């Protein structure tokens, strides 16, 4: 309907944003209830929550969920990217406009989603181009740090510039947790990269989010992080030790994850990212590897298998071999 020269149907559609909340989980029976409580308390009303269960063995799929929850269970663990792919396909089939991706251990603050949607509605005020992704900022509880996505450069990832007079931060990529993805972009860029047999294939687990949101950015869409849309993140089961008067933290990931992280990281920067400054890239990679190795050696247990996994991952990343199930 047009009245006074204004297309009010168009205005109404712009303000009506249909969001599906998608939660990926693997053996998260003991933590998923707290997340659902946080999501249902959001100040932006949530119509539906889709839980994608990655073949959990702890009874996650057998729990009783509120009516607002739809549960989809994978027969095998397809990783976080596999869960997001399933969520995107479901959301598109149900006519949603955006999908908000959350880890089972994410703790979004009450206004987190409302702030993201508000930024979408204010898109005309922040420059040309359509928004592809708006991410929440991450409050790393145990480390006392906040993350606002990453800017990718020929010399590796960098922290984006944070301006005090802006609610948003411009970046190139964000992680899955807290990412509000524009489903209209899927027609142009496709779905996340996922292996068919398990989370060890392709970019099903580590670096799948970096690749997908970077792909969105490369296609010409804007990627933002809202500074005040916060998710408190406990950072898994990391370990901390006091060394020479300083706290040294390490994520304490098992060998399997160490392998995947370095394999997929090397593959991304060698085969997917479009430019490289070799000296700077090697300096950054050397620093990243050194920090990880020191953390494993000083803080963690089962050091030998984890150190071996890091170097095996680097070798397979150089080879472009993304189909090996690595076990030690």
């Amino acid at each position: 309907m047009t009245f006074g020269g204004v297309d009010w149907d168009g205005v109404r559609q712009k303000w009506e944003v249909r969001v599906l909340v998608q939660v990926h989980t693997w053996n998260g029976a003991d933590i998923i209830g707290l997340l659902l409580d946080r999501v249902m308390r959001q100040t932006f009303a949530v119509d539906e929550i889709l839980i994608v269960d990655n073949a959990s063995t702890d009874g996650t799929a057998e729990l009783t969920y509120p009516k607002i929850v739809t549960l989809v269970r994978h027969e095998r663990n397809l990783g976080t990217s596999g869960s997001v792919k399933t969520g995107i396909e479901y959301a598109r089939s149900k006519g949603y406009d955006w999908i908000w991706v959350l880890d089972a251990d994410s703790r979004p603050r009450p206004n987190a989603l409302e702030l993201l949607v508000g930024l979408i509605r204010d898109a005309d005020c922040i420059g040309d181009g359509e928004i592809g992704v708006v991410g929440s900022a991450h409050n790393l509880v145990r480390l006392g740090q906040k993350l606002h996505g990453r800017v990718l450069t020929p010399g590796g990832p960098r922290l984006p510039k944070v301006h005090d007079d802006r609610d948003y931060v411009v970046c190139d990529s964000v992680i899955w947790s807290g990412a509000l993805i524009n489903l209209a972009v899927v027609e142009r860029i496709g779905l996340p990269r996922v292996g068919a047999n398990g989370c060890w294939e392709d970019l099903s687990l580590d670096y799948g989010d970096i690749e997908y949101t970077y792909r969105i950015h490369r296609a010409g869409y804007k990627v933002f992080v809202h500074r005040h849309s916060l998710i408190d993140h406990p950072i898994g089961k990391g370990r901390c030790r006091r060394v020479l008067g300083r706290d040294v933290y390490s994520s304490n990931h098992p060998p399997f994850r160490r392998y995947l992280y370095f394999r997929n990281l090397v593959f991304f920067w060698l085969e997917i990212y479009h430019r490289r400054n070799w000296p700077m890239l090697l300096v950054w990679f050397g620093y990243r590897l050194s920090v990880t190795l020191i953390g494993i050696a000083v803080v963690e247990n089962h050091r030998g298998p984890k150190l071996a996994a890091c170097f095996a991952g680097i070798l397979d990343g150089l080879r472009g071999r993304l189909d090996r199930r690595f076990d030690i």
Side-chain angles (χ1 to χ4, degrees):
M1 178 180 66
T2 301
F3 180 76
V6 177
D7 181 2
W8 290 105
D9 288 335
V11 171
R12 187 178 300 110
Q13 290 174 4
K14 178 179 178 179
W15 281 86
E16 291 177 354
V17 179
R18 295 194 68 220
V19 177
L20 173 71
V21 178
Q22 184 254 312
V23 178
H24 44 264
T25 183
W26 176 71
N27 288 343
D30 58 336
I31 59 175
I32 199 165
L34 180 55
L35 168 63
L36 294 178
D37 179 69
R38 294 289 184 94
V39 172
M40 295 175 69
R41 292 176 182 270
Q42 289 294 304
T43 53
F44 180 90
V46 173
D47 294 325
E48 184 177 10
I49 303 169
L50 176 71
I51 296 176
V52 182
D53 177 59
N54 263 323
S56 293
T57 58
D58 67 343
T60 299
E62 287 72 44
L63 295 175
T64 300
Y65 293 105
K67 292 183 179 180
I68 195 175
V69 172
T70 300
L71 177 71
V72 174
R73 189 172 192 271
H74 289 162
E75 293 184 359
R76 60 191 67 181
N77 185 352
L78 298 180
T80 49
S81 298
S83 296
V84 175
K85 176 178 179 288
T86 296
I88 289 175
E89 291 174 327
Y90 179 89
R92 294 175 70 198
S93 72
K94 297 296 183 179
Y96 286 97
D97 304 308
W98 297 74
I99 183 170
W100 194 32
V101 180
L102 295 171
D103 292 338
D105 61 351
S106 301
R107 301 291 177 262
R109 297 190 184 178
N111 63 345
L113 182 55
E114 181 182 14
L115 290 172
L116 298 183
V117 173
L119 189 59
I120 293 169
R121 289 169 172 167
D122 293 338
D124 292 342
C125 303
I126 52 180
D128 296 330
E130 186 176 359
I131 293 180
V133 184
V134 181
S136 296
H138 285 262
N139 178 35
L140 306 184
V141 177
R142 295 183 65 179
L143 301 183
Q145 300 175 359
K146 288 184 181 177
L147 298 181
H148 301 95
R150 286 292 184 268
V151 172
L152 306 183
T153 78
R158 301 289 186 269
L159 296 175
K161 293 182 179 179
V162 178
H163 300 277
D164 292 337
D165 60 340
R166 295 179 182 175
D167 290 333
Y168 62 91
V169 177
V170 179
C171 52
D172 299 331
S173 67
V174 297
I175 64 174
W176 285 133
S177 183
L180 182 62
I181 302 171
N182 185 350
L183 293 170
V185 311
V186 177
E187 292 290 341
R188 182 174 177 187
I189 69 158
L191 294 163
R193 294 180 56 151
V194 179
N197 297 309
C199 61
W200 65 87
E201 287 189 340
D202 209 324
L203 303 181
S204 299
L205 200 53
D206 290 288
Y207 252 79
D209 42 10
I210 304 302
E211 186 278 330
Y212 193 65
T213 53
Y214 168 70
R215 198 193 320 166
I216 291 173
H217 175 74
R218 283 275 287 166
Y221 296 96
K222 292 182 288 190
V223 177
F224 294 129
V225 166
H226 197 299
R227 294 172 52 216
H228 307 298
S229 171
L230 291 174
I231 290 179
D232 295 314
H233 214 290
I235 329 178
K237 299 178 180 179
R239 300 184 67 179
C240 187
R241 177 174 294 176
R242 194 79 174 172
V243 179
L244 299 177
R246 299 185 63 181
D247 289 331
V248 178
Y249 173 86
S250 192
S251 59
N252 200 32
H253 284 145
F256 172 71
R257 287 297 302 277
R258 295 296 190 189
Y259 166 80
L260 286 183
Y261 173 77
F262 278 104
R263 185 196 73 180
N264 295 355
L265 177 153
V266 169
F267 181 81
F268 175 85
W269 287 100
L270 290 185
E271 302 294 337
I272 296 176
Y273 190 74
H274 68 293
R275 294 179 296 148
R276 278 166 291 282
N277 179 322
W278 286 110
M280 292 299 295
L281 187 62
L282 290 174
V283 168
W284 166 75
F285 178 76
Y287 170 77
R288 180 70 266 165
L289 177 61
S290 298
V291 169
T292 301
L293 297 182
I294 291 172
I296 293 172
V298 173
V299 178
E300 301 186 17
N301 50 15
H302 307 297
R303 299 176 181 88
K306 292 178 181 179
L307 294 173
C310 293
F311 290 106
I314 293 170
L315 183 59
D316 278 352
L318 291 170
R319 293 170 173 172
R321 184 176 179 182
L322 303 183
D323 60 350
R324 183 156 81 102
R325 181 168 182 169
F326 180 83
D327 293 304
I328 289 184

